[in-house]
Amino acid sequence: MGKLGLFGELWKFMSKRKKWWLAPVIVILFLLGILIFFAQGSAVAPFIYTLF
């Protein structure tokens, strides 16, 4: 992947192909992943899993 990494490659792809609509999708998926990751060991987990 080189020195850019995953996010650098995504940024390069979006800027070259003019796919700016992908940015909010990627951000929301990233935030949902973080929410699920941190909720696994907490007392809030049953409430978060009912959303899905």
Side-chain angles (χ1 to χ4, degrees):
M1 264 199 291
K3 64 180 181 174
L4 289 178
L6 179 65
F7 294 110
E9 291 287 329
L10 279 171
W11 180 259
K12 197 165 76 170
F13 170 77
M14 287 190 304
S15 63
K16 182 156 297 234
R17 303 260 196 262
K18 306 295 187 225
K19 303 279 187 189
W20 296 114
W21 58 271
L22 284 174
V25 174
I26 292 169
V27 169
I28 288 173
L29 286 174
F30 181 72
L31 291 175
L32 280 175
I34 288 176
L35 176 70
I36 291 172
F37 177 76
F38 284 119
Q40 281 180 351
S42 73
V44 196
F47 302 109
I48 291 176
Y49 288 126
T50 58
L51 295 175
F52 300 106

